[in-house]
Amino acid sequence: MAEVKKSAPGGGATAQRAGSGGWTRFVTARPRLTLLVALVLTALAVLAGGGVADRMGSGGWEDPAAESTYATEALARQFPGSQPNLILLVDAGAAGADAPAVAAQARKLAERLDAEPGVDGVGSYWSTGSPALRSEDGRKAVIAARIAGEEKDAAAVLDRIAPEYRGTHGPVEVSLGGGLAVRHEMQTVIQEDLLRAELIALPLTLVLLVMVFGSAVAALLPLGVGIVAILGTNAVLRGITEFTDVSVFAQNLTTALGLGLAIDYALFVVRRYREELATGADTYTAVRTTLRTAGRTVLFSALTVAVSLAAMLVFPQYFLRSFAYAGIAVVLLAATAALTLLPAALVLLGDRVNALDLRRLLRRGRASGRKADGGEGAGGEGAGWGRATALVMRRAPVFAVLTTAGLVLLGLPFLGVRFGTADDRQLPATASSRVVQDQLRDGFPGDPGGGITVLAEGAATPAQYADYRERIAGLHGVARADGPVTAGGGRAYFTVVPDGEAVGPDAQRTVTELRAEPAPFDTSVTGQAAVLVDSKDALAERLPWAAAVIVLVTLLLVFLLTGSVLIPVQAVVLNALSLTAMFGAVVWVFQDGHLAGFLGFTPTGDIETTLPVLMFCVAFGLSMDYGVFLLSRVKEEYDRTGEHEHSVRFGLRHTGGLITAAAVILAVVMVAIGTSRVTNTKMLGLGVALAVLMDAMVVRSLLVPAVMKLTGRLTWWAPGPLRRFHDRFGISESDAYNPGPTPDVEEVSETRREMTSLRP
């Protein structure tokens, strides 16, 4: 679908192409067959993707190759009691945990739990007498155990035994908590929230599409493309779960991008098709022209978004890799559906795509409705964008400086970001496992989940163990060191209780000091603080590679689109600026807790380590999506006329309303995702929604035209070798079959008149 171009001295280009292409001919010649095949494949995807959420995990934040991961797995095998993931909180009420009847019932429960298949390492306050396992008021105490196996297998065991232990047992009331219960409940909540988000997003999206298109028929087309993309991606994810772990959080991205990008692409295709019809083209010519122009831009845009999401594959955490799997699949499926199903439907519909024009109730006549849709009329939406762009370009230095300063100011709170780990406080305060964890955190001595564990491997004498324990107990930030707990084969472990926060800076320094402390045996350190240290190290090590992938491929793709050296650099820098408000808001709201009551979450004073990486990749890709839409239309007009300022104004006049409408619709979908009761999902949805709106309404509307005005014709410069490379391999939206007048005297004259009228 690429074209070969020769640059003209005046900056224009002529496209040379032998024909419309086999793909275009197939879609337009066999539309019914295309739709039938798509219907069959979608039905198969529904069957293949059924139950995909049940096969997903709710973890994936740790580096599988890290020291902490090795130590956790080794301890789970050799000392299952040291790594409990199931907590039975036994509430004895006024009788107290030490009452004989309470103790007898608790021991009975512990023995019964120990006999359950798949349950290891059962211990309790009543068997150990440890004061750390009894609440400070003496009314509650703990039975701890580990459910062995992979995450999905352990969850199945929990589902089986939970009803038998939760509730009243004689004189005690039992509640279930622990890491496994938290993750399992989080998975359930996410699935429920996702269904609610879809029920919110779909009708609102349909209403907005009707407002954009007027025609109910045209509005249904993008929605259909989005549904096909979501169902197809669920089937792909179901297949991926056969080979690797996939996070349940990725389903939220599937819904958001499936609807958002499919609607973006369909908006662009349908809008261009209706413009072609408005010029008098017949159905087949309009579809072919749309595929040759808007179709190439959609394909190009999909590649840029997919590359941004693919960058997450360089990270070892399956939480991030899952979003790459889901994102790449849904982007490519959305583009495929927009370039196959949509053109086939348009061929069958013809000009009936404008049927059921609901906006005729609010406007006079069908013609004025079409004029506003196309953005062509002097008094329509397009003229308004043209005048606004002319004003921005007339005062380009002012708009460039003020907009940049404002975006930087909004991003300043991110300088105070603190990274942490996700815990039970991601869940709503009423979630049963969260209630248990809150009681453990607030009512028991120390932080039950805050211990650091040191695995010792190698032969050692009791004296050597004792000497090592004394040395680590004396490290700065250590409140107490217990152990060793030994087993055969020269294996033992020590438990270190840090001062202060379980995963705070002091605890992280303690992890580093423990790893540096010499010992007569091999040591490996794990625990929440150790997992955080290793996760941050893994992200820091691979982040430059991910950034390099995104930046280099973006530079290449935008160069292939524009033939300019400067525009790709501008695209990367301005896209990054568009994300500053998102990152500043994430820290100000979710870390520092502003608006926590209104949004309904519990601030923890930090941000989960992987979330900024995920949000950057998603938001950067979506910003490039809008950037490609704008630049392709600017480049098309510049090739026709060689008029730089006119081309920028023309591009915004013909895409400004479209990009804004697409951004609002995508923001609605992301806000629907942001209604989730899980904090990380809320942060992702609301943060990306803010980034999308800032990009479309501030960066694309103000900063891009201001910067392009300042760079002038230099914007399109490239050295000779690169220009020849672009002439041969570049991709453009220019249409050799329907180039229009060259130059467009009326458009150029109108641009000059509006620019002149704005002079003082």
Side-chain angles (χ1 to χ4, degrees), residues 714-731:
L714 183 64
T715 302
W716 304 101
W717 176 84
L722 288 180
R723 182 161 294 281
R724 288 189 292 273
F725 178 85
H726 179 264
D727 288 342
R728 184 173 182 182
F729 299 107
I731 300 174

Side-chain angles (χ1 to χ4, degrees), residues 364-703:
R364 291 182 180 180
R366 186 180 182 86
S368 64
R370 284 189 177 183
K371 185 176 290 187
D373 285 342
E376 305 287 352
E381 168 193 59
W385 279 98
R387 287 191 294 271
T389 304
L391 173 62
V392 170
M393 296 178 74
R394 178 69 180 86
R395 306 293 185 192
V398 175
F399 279 98
V401 171
L402 291 181
T403 304
T404 301
L407 291 172
V408 171
L409 184 64
L410 290 174
L412 288 180
F414 193 71
L415 296 177
V417 66
R418 295 184 296 274
F419 295 108
T421 56
D423 60 20
D424 59 279
R425 287 170 291 181
Q426 292 282 312
L427 287 167
T430 55
S432 59
S433 59
R434 160 77 187 273
V435 171
V436 171
Q437 298 302 121
D438 280 341
Q439 293 183 55
L440 293 173
R441 189 167 27 246
D442 300 334
F444 283 67
D447 189 332
I452 301 171
T453 306
V454 182
L455 172 65
E457 297 178 294
T461 64
Q464 289 174 318
Y465 280 140
D467 175 67
Y468 179 74
R469 184 188 65 222
E470 292 301 319
R471 283 189 284 116
I472 62 177
L475 293 176
H476 176 73
V478 174
R480 187 177 77 251
D482 299 324
V485 177
T486 60
R491 297 186 300 270
Y493 74 88
F494 299 83
T495 301
V496 178
V497 179
D499 284 327
E501 299 178 20
V503 292
D506 290 340
Q508 295 174 54
R509 280 193 294 270
T510 299
V511 169
T512 302
E513 292 176 4
L514 285 169
R515 288 174 171 172
E517 185 69 24
F521 35 74
D522 294 330
T523 61
S524 304
V525 181
T526 188
Q528 286 188 25
V531 170
L532 176 58
V533 169
D534 291 339
S535 180
K536 289 167 65 175
D537 288 345
L539 291 174
E541 178 184 349
R542 292 165 175 82
L543 192 58
W545 292 100
V549 168
I550 293 174
V551 171
L552 292 177
V553 177
T554 298
L555 291 174
L556 174 61
L557 291 175
V558 177
F559 171 76
L560 291 175
L561 177 68
T562 63
S564 163
V565 170
L566 188 57
I567 289 179
V569 176
Q570 288 179 355
V572 170
V573 174
L574 298 186
N575 275 10
L577 272 176
S578 72
L579 308 184
T580 54
M582 175 184 72
F583 285 124
V586 161
V587 170
W588 190 77
V589 175
F590 290 95
Q591 175 182 292
D592 299 340
H594 298 97
L595 305 180
F598 175 74
L599 295 176
F601 69 92
T602 302
T604 58
D606 52 46
I607 301 296
E608 203 283 317
T609 314
T610 59
L611 255 295
V613 175
L614 168 63
M615 296 175 74
F616 173 83
C617 292
V618 173
F620 189 92
L622 293 174
S623 297
M624 279 307 306
D625 184 47
Y626 299 136
V628 166
F629 286 170
L630 172 59
L631 291 174
S632 64
R633 207 63 188 264
V634 173
K635 171 64 174 173
E636 177 186 6
E637 186 66 9
Y638 186 71
D639 285 346
R640 286 202 311 126
T641 66
E643 290 276 346
H644 171 66
E645 293 184 15
H646 158 72
S647 299
V648 175
R649 175 185 170 277
F650 179 94
L652 271 162
R653 178 175 181 172
H654 285 258
T655 65
L658 177 67
I659 290 173
T660 301
V664 169
I665 292 172
L666 180 56
V668 166
V669 177
M670 296 305 303
V671 169
I673 297 294
T675 62
S676 173
R677 293 166 290 170
V678 176
T679 305
N680 275 356
T681 305
K682 188 187 298 291
M683 189 188 310
L684 174 66
L686 298 181
V688 173
L690 177 61
V692 165
L693 293 175
M694 291 297 294
D695 180 76
M697 297 182 176
V698 177
V699 173
R700 302 295 153 206
S701 303
L702 303 178
L703 196 53

Side-chain angles (χ1 to χ4, degrees), residues 14 109 118 125 146 156 175-176 185 248 252 259 363 376 380 447-448 450 467 495 519 532 595 634 640 642 705:
T14 59
L109 286 170
Y125 164 72
R146 180 169 187 83
S175 304
L176 270 58
E185 187 163 11
V248 69
N252 294 287
L259 280 176
R363 288 201 305 257
E376 305 287 352
D447 189 332
D467 175 67
T495 301
L532 176 58
L595 305 180
V634 173
R640 286 202 311 126

